[in-house]
Amino acid sequence: MKSDSETPELHQRPRFINFPFDPNRLPFFYGTVVLVCGTLGVLASAPGQTVGVSVFTDFLIEAHHLSRSWISFAYFVGTIASAFLITRAGRWYDRFGGRWVSAGSAAMLAVVLTGMSFSVGIADVAASFLPQNYSTYASFVVLTLGFFAMRFFGQGMLTLSSRNMVLEWFEQRRGMALAFIGISVAFGFSITPPFFEWLIQRGGWSWAWQAIAAMVAAFAVIAVCLGRARPEDHNLTPDGPFAKENRKTHAETLSGRQFTLSEARRTYSFWVFTFSVGLSGLVLTAFSFHVVSIFGDGGMQRSQAVAIFVPAACVSVVVEFVGSWFSDFVKLKYLAMVQLVGILTLSLSLSFLQSGPTVYLVVLGMGLMQGMFGIISAATWPRFYGRKHLGAISGFSTSIVVAGTAVGPYLFSLAHDQFGTYRPATLLCAVLAIILLALSPRADRPH
């Protein structure tokens, strides 16, 4: 569906914006191609996500002769450092568009993964310039820098740019697009650990990272060829032929105002939604990182702990599919409340975990929390604040979420070390969820 008029800026754009073809000349709405491309981009970020990194943890401990606490601390420092840069990097998205930022992020992630595959050799070279007693610190620094780059380019920039690129092409049908991404990513991330493990068993952990790097690099080429930043760049409009004539059927249509990051941060709703997704990231990462220990404290076996993710993923897929459809018709604050109920349910069930009913509550809480996370963290910013500064706004929110994923495991570890139980940490998360629930009814779209 072509726009009513062509702007002068369109003719002034560089020729390579249509490389290798112009989407406007195709007989179908190109947003569907961007949807597939963006989904592949989020899936390509898996090596930089906790779900992908955790598979290599034990091998890094053995290869670098570091304790689990040292590896965990390197991961914590690297993740926190990446969070501080994501907001500024989000401005790259606003300047260059999702196509080039996602391609560049994927290319850099591939380079980092290749470097991590040689991390032992790099650490040995660095240690050769240091006194013998400092060789352990060389490994720590190398892994910290590697984790920083993996988290920044993977969980941060590649995820943000790929997802936002899709949101540029869909407005009234944004819920449908998010449902497609959410379901694909849920299934994709669920098979990531066994797939990475298969690669490791086939050729070793170093070779596995090199093979994964080649796959991520392949996506960088796909992003350059098929990705496109904004439909207006090609004289097209969001939703294309799927756009509804009566825009008022949407529960929260954009008023036309394009918020800057500083303006968005001065609104009440921005912080309610940001802290909601941040708390979700904190709880989910902490639980995933310590799941075996948490279930062990509840008198259950390792196999029971690992198996919890399968039914939770099934609940999450259903919740995300239904929630994404509803997001086109209801106010987002109601979906945020469902997410917070999930956090509260999960936190309380973990506080009093035993074999039996509380395990089912863990599955339900995780499903509600994970299912709504993808919707809230993606749909809120373009709907509430417009698309002009989408990268900066979503980047700032993402930085808080990434920081939460770093703080969560450490917070739970601290509670267990000090009190011999995770209960103080899980109850604190429950209290925070209740506070955000009380604040949510006023979290409407700013004007």
Side-chain angles (χ1 to χ4, degrees):
M1 182 175 179
K2 300 179 180 179
S3 59
D4 296 334
S5 61
E6 297 183 5
T7 61
E9 291 80 1
L10 183 63
H11 299 291
Q12 298 171 5
R13 293 186 181 276
R15 293 181 180 180
F16 58 75
I17 200 171
N18 288 322
F19 172 84
F21 55 84
D22 184 359
N24 197 18
R25 298 181 180 275
L26 299 178
F28 56 86
F29 176 53
Y30 197 75
T32 54
V33 177
V34 175
L35 175 59
V36 174
C37 184
T39 302
L40 290 175
V42 178
L43 290 172
S45 74
Q49 306 276 0
T50 302
V51 68
V53 176
S54 61
V55 182
F56 293 85
T57 301
D58 290 335
F59 299 99
L60 291 176
I61 291 173
E62 181 179 357
H64 285 272
H65 307 291
L66 293 175
S67 66
R68 186 173 298 275
S69 59
W70 271 103
I71 293 287
S72 300
F73 189 61
Y75 191 66
F76 168 79
V77 174
T79 302
I80 285 291
S82 70
F84 283 110
L85 291 182
I86 290 176
T87 301
R88 181 172 296 275
R91 301 182 190 277
W92 299 345
Y93 174 89
D94 293 327
R95 181 177 180 181
F96 300 107
R99 176 191 191 183
W100 301 109
V101 174
S102 61
S105 300
M108 289 303 300
L109 179 59
V111 171
V112 173
L113 292 172
T114 303
M116 287 291 282
S117 71
F118 295 105
S119 59
V120 174
I122 296 173
D124 288 342
V125 171
S128 66
F129 296 96
L130 300 173
Q132 186 174 3
N133 294 337
Y134 290 87
S135 59
T136 299
Y137 296 103
S139 290
F140 173 79
V141 171
V142 168
L143 290 179
T144 299
L145 293 175
F147 287 145
F148 159 75
M150 291 173 68
R151 301 291 276 169
F152 177 73
F153 291 112
Q155 184 193 25
M157 287 309 301
L158 184 53
T159 302
L160 181 148
S161 57
S162 299
R163 186 176 58 195
N164 282 354
M165 180 170 61
V166 173
L167 299 181
E168 298 273 14
W169 285 79
F170 294 91
E171 187 171 292
Q172 299 172 36
R173 298 288 181 147
R174 194 166 283 148
M176 176 275 296
L178 289 174
F180 180 85
I181 295 176
I183 293 173
S184 301
V185 170
F187 282 114
F189 279 11
S190 68
I191 66 172
T192 291
F195 175 61
F196 285 4
E197 180 68 21
W198 178 79
L199 290 175
I200 292 172
Q201 297 302 323
R202 184 178 178 86
W205 67 270
S206 182
W207 178 86
W209 253 334
Q210 295 168 18
I212 296 168
M215 299 177 198
V216 175
F219 169 74
V221 177
I222 294 174
V224 170
C225 295
L226 300 182
R228 295 296 186 274
R230 299 175 179 86
E232 292 85 356
D233 293 345
H234 310 281
N235 200 26
L236 298 170
T237 58
D239 299 304
F242 304 106
K244 302 175 183 177
E245 293 184 4
N246 183 13
R247 297 173 64 87
K248 293 184 179 180
T249 56
H250 198 294
E252 290 174 313
T253 55
L254 185 65
S255 63
R257 180 180 175 184
Q258 302 292 320
F259 287 74
T260 64
L261 173 58
S262 60
E263 290 172 337
R265 286 189 300 202
R266 288 196 293 267
T267 64
Y268 174 88
S269 297
F270 178 85
W271 294 106
V272 173
F273 280 91
T274 294
F275 286 136
S276 294
V277 294
L279 180 60
S280 179
L282 184 153
V283 174
L284 178 60
T285 308
F287 173 64
S288 301
F289 202 88
H290 298 288
V291 60
V292 174
S293 177
I294 291 173
F295 271 66
D297 288 354
M300 287 170 278
Q301 302 296 320
R302 177 186 179 91
S303 58
Q304 294 174 282
V306 176
I308 199 71
F309 292 100
V310 176
C314 294
V315 175
S316 173
V317 167
V318 174
V319 170
E320 184 152 11
F321 179 79
V322 175
S324 297
W325 184 82
F326 271 109
S327 70
D328 283 334
F329 306 101
V330 303
K331 293 184 176 182
L332 290 178
K333 66 180 181 182
Y334 299 125
L335 301 185
M337 291 178 188
V338 174
Q339 181 192 36
L340 289 168
V341 168
I343 297 174
L344 179 60
T345 302
L346 177 59
S347 299
L348 291 178
S349 59
L350 293 179
S351 299
F352 307 98
L353 183 62
Q354 293 181 348
S355 180
T358 50
V359 176
Y360 297 106
L361 290 177
V362 169
V363 172
L364 176 62
M366 271 193 73
L368 291 175
M369 182 180 68
Q370 284 185 288
M372 288 300 173
F373 177 85
I375 304 170
I376 300 301
S377 62
T380 305
W381 317 126
R383 183 187 296 187
F384 278 19
Y385 305 107
R387 295 187 290 129
K388 185 175 181 179
H389 303 285
L390 179 59
I393 294 171
S394 61
F396 182 84
S397 176
T398 300
S399 69
I400 294 178
V401 175
V402 172
T405 63
V407 171
Y410 183 72
L411 173 66
F412 274 48
S413 293
L414 187 63
H416 197 269
D417 290 343
Q418 294 295 319
F419 302 100
T421 176
Y422 294 102
R423 187 170 296 170
T426 54
L427 288 179
L428 174 61
C429 293
V431 170
L432 294 175
I434 292 173
I435 292 173
L436 288 170
L437 265 174
L439 298 175
S440 296
R442 294 179 52 227
D444 293 303
R445 178 178 61 81
H447 296 283

